Amino acid sequence: MRTYFSFAGRTPTLAVTFAATAVFLILVFPNIPIDGQSLDSRSGYTYDEALASLEQYGPEGRTTYIWSSALLDTLFPIAYVTFFAGLIYRFRLTEGTWWLAFIPVVAGLCDLAENAQIMAMLVQYPDIGATQVAWASAFTAAKGWIGTIYQILGAGLLLVAIARSVVRALRRRRRGT
């Protein structure tokens, strides 16, 4: 995994995965025509809320949602996991904290498990059980909580790296004058 994290932390990889993540979030997901808010964009949901959403999507919306979950929402975790794992690995404070790059990987695995549950519900609708919805919602909630952690960690490490760089530049400048 360290080889993957090292690759993910390279500047070109960070640039490409950041751009891909932004495109998914800004252009792709908001424009998927499912006639309602996707289940995986929520912080969680109850059985009744899931049923209401699945009904609201209609047959065409459910089919579109299945395909987007299978294709787009499989590529999306690859992009954001690679970006944040690379960011955390590259800007880790000490060599011993490299393992923190696993945090977005766990979120990505929760995302993929959530997608599998949601696709199953979309295929089986209206014959879905409360337990299945509970599992899907739990994966959604876990993805969200873990996402908050790795996003704060990644942004914090990047800010520390920028601050260190500015301090070094100011010290070099001070020595030069």
Side-chain angles (χ1 to χ4, degrees):
M1 282 301 282
R2 286 189 75 156
T3 302
Y4 162 69
F5 293 148
S6 180
F7 168 77
R10 294 176 49 230
T11 300
T13 307
L14 287 170
V16 168
T17 55
F18 175 78
T21 300
V23 165
F24 275 110
L25 290 173
I26 296 167
L27 298 175
V28 175
F29 290 130
N31 293 306
I32 295 173
I34 61 169
D35 297 327
Q37 182 185 15
S38 66
L39 293 173
D40 51 350
S41 66
R42 302 175 187 194
S43 59
Y45 39 86
T46 65
Y47 178 74
D48 291 334
E49 291 168 339
L51 282 179
S53 291
L54 294 170
E55 173 65 27
Q56 180 182 356
Y57 302 150
E60 288 181 24
R62 287 190 296 275
T63 300
T64 300
Y65 197 166
I66 290 168
W67 283 105
S68 70
S69 285
L71 300 173
L72 301 174
D73 212 6
T74 298
L75 295 173
F76 178 59
I78 294 169
Y80 77 74
V81 165
T82 301
F83 174 71
F84 280 101
L87 190 70
I88 292 167
Y89 185 80
R90 178 172 177 169
F91 296 113
R92 64 194 182 276
L93 296 177
T94 66
E95 183 57 33
T97 58
W98 71 270
W99 60 270
L100 292 172
F102 277 104
I103 296 172
V105 173
V106 173
L109 293 173
C110 287
D111 197 349
L112 294 174
E114 167 203 50
N115 295 342
Q117 289 294 324
I118 289 173
M119 285 188 292
M121 290 189 307
L122 290 162
V123 168
Q124 296 169 354
Y125 178 83
D127 300 320
I128 59 171
T131 303
Q132 184 173 23
V133 173
W135 275 105
S137 182
F139 282 122
T140 300
K143 174 191 75 172
W145 281 102
I146 299 167
T148 300
I149 293 166
Y150 74 70
Q151 289 170 25
I152 290 170
L153 178 61
L157 291 172
L158 181 60
L159 289 174
V160 168
I162 290 169
R164 286 179 172 176
S165 180
V166 168
V167 167
R168 280 192 298 269
L170 289 173
R171 285 182 181 160
R172 281 194 301 268
R173 185 173 177 188
R174 188 176 297 155
R175 288 183 200 139
T177 56

